[in-house]
Amino acid sequence: MPKTTRILLADDHAMILAALRMMIQRIEGVEVVAEAHNGRDAVARARELRPDLVIMDISMSELNGIEAAALIKAESPETRVLILSSHASEDYVRRAIRAGVDGYLLKGSPPEELAIAIRAAAEGNSYLSPSISRLVMAGMARAGVASESQLDALTGRQREILQMIAEGKSTKEIAFGLEVSVKTVETHRAAIMDRLDIHDVAGLVVFAVRNGLIDMDDDARRRSGGA
């Protein structure tokens, strides 16, 4: 019997998860084994279930999809990761590829393209939406070697903490969420400010938004309880 592809879905919008599950259930040879509602939950569920494929958004609370993808790939290289996002900027795509994702698909793509991307991932291949492929090729043609960005200068853990600071979480909340001490969080925050040469929380929030760690529209909807 052909192997069934086990899929974990991750998105912090319940309606999108429901629609995505419905589309995937129509694809032969695949099974949705679990759903996650933020990036940190996605990492935990991937660790627990070892799915064949994780399909997830970028803009999620606590841990964005790019950072979550890097953690999943580090812990389970055999798990494939497909980004399904509304973000089509070169910076998002570059960061996702550097995180080790196996595909990048835009929300709004037709269901048949999702099926193609899933099958490509299941066969060990990569998939980029045509518009994303053009974006990547244009970026490669433009530039020689890109200089390291300020965001790249931060460690993965520092980017996690920066995102949580920008989301308005207190030091104690961050420490509890990451299962570390308050002192550890304070040390990381001081290092972040030093590396970025930003010395107030408002400045960190602006930096996080500009560099795609959080989406202000999504964050506002979450705070108001909207979908």
Side-chain angles (χ1 to χ4, degrees):
M1 294 289 290
K3 180 177 179 289
T4 298
T5 300
R6 300 167 62 253
I7 298 176
L8 167 65
L9 304 178
D11 196 297
D12 58 359
H13 294 87
M15 290 181 66
I16 291 176
L17 275 177
L20 192 54
R21 176 185 279 272
M22 191 177 300
M23 283 193 291
I24 289 174
Q25 286 174 337
R26 297 172 182 158
I27 301 172
E28 186 177 354
V30 303
E31 174 191 8
V32 176
V33 295
E35 297 176 359
H37 299 277
N38 61 57
R40 197 166 303 287
D41 187 29
V43 174
R45 298 293 275 162
R47 182 183 300 124
E48 172 192 359
L49 299 170
R50 299 291 182 182
D52 301 303
L53 175 64
V54 179
I55 301 176
M56 65 180 163
D57 192 13
I58 288 178
S59 298
M60 294 188 289
S61 62
E62 298 199 19
L63 188 68
N64 68 74
I66 293 174
E67 301 298 336
L71 291 174
I72 290 169
K73 296 297 287 187
E75 292 186 4
S76 179
E78 69 277 8
T79 297
R80 314 288 286 178
V81 178
L82 175 65
I83 292 292
L84 180 62
S85 175
S86 58
H87 296 296
S89 74
E90 183 180 342
D91 184 58
Y92 279 104
V93 176
R94 176 183 61 81
R95 287 173 51 213
I97 292 173
R98 289 187 62 180
V101 305
D102 303 286
Y104 198 114
L105 190 67
L106 292 178
K107 287 182 178 178
S109 299
E112 53 268 28
E113 188 176 349
L114 176 62
I116 291 170
I118 289 173
R119 291 194 182 102
E123 293 168 2
N125 299 315
S126 299
Y127 182 86
L128 297 176
S129 286
S131 58
I132 297 299
S133 294
R134 289 193 292 271
L135 196 66
V136 171
M137 294 301 292
M140 290 174 63
R142 262 195 315 272
V145 178
S147 60
E148 184 181 52
S149 73
Q150 285 182 293
L151 191 62
D152 293 332
L154 301 179
T155 67
R157 176 47 59 94
Q158 287 169 347
R159 289 192 295 269
E160 287 183 59
I161 291 174
L162 174 57
Q163 177 177 340
M164 296 174 82
I165 290 171
E167 290 173 346
K169 290 181 171 60
S170 69
T171 301
K172 287 185 179 180
E173 287 173 326
I174 296 171
F176 179 80
L178 297 180
E179 299 181 341
V180 298
S181 70
V182 168
K183 181 65 175 176
T184 296
V185 175
E186 290 174 343
T187 300
H188 279 301
R189 184 171 64 179
I192 291 166
M193 289 181 168
D194 184 57
R195 289 192 181 189
L196 299 180
D197 196 23
I198 297 172
H199 301 286
D200 59 87
V201 172
L204 292 179
V205 172
V206 171
F207 178 87
V209 171
R210 286 178 176 170
N211 286 272
L213 284 180
I214 65 170
D215 184 305
M216 286 301 288
D217 291 336
D218 278 353
D219 192 52
R221 281 194 292 270
R222 279 192 289 267
R223 289 170 187 265
S224 65

